[in-house]
Amino acid sequence: PSVASDIYNKARTVLDARVSYRILKGAELFGTMSNFTDAPLTFYQTRPDQIYSRQIYSYYANVGLSLSF
């Protein structure tokens, strides 16, 4: 294998969060959000200016109710 064919994963910062609020014993409202920074996943070949692949996942959010018995 040569150095010219090596693939590297570019550093990125991903910020995720989860908040919850207990409304009753055994019942909780929650919200989550992933990838606040909307950071792309980038791979490069040999040098950072030689992009091999760039994947953009955007951010993701959800809300819900959690019950435990």
Side-chain angles (χ1 to χ4, degrees):
S2 74
V3 174
S5 64
D6 289 346
I7 304 297
Y8 300 92
N9 188 352
K10 185 176 180 182
R12 68 182 185 144
T13 301
V14 178
L15 180 63
D16 301 334
R18 182 182 196 279
V19 295
S20 63
Y21 180 75
R22 190 173 97 174
I23 54 176
L24 298 169
K25 184 177 179 182
E28 178 182 85
L29 289 172
F30 69 89
T32 63
M33 187 164 180
S34 300
N35 199 16
F36 271 103
T37 57
D38 202 16
L41 178 59
T42 304
F43 297 93
Y44 62 92
Q45 186 171 353
T46 310
R47 299 188 332 247
D49 64 334
Q50 294 180 317
I51 302 297
Y52 177 79
S53 173
R54 187 167 191 252
Q55 302 164 17
I56 300 173
Y57 294 104
S58 192
Y59 56 87
Y60 178 79
N62 65 28
V63 295
L65 176 65
S66 175
L67 301 173
S68 60
F69 302 96

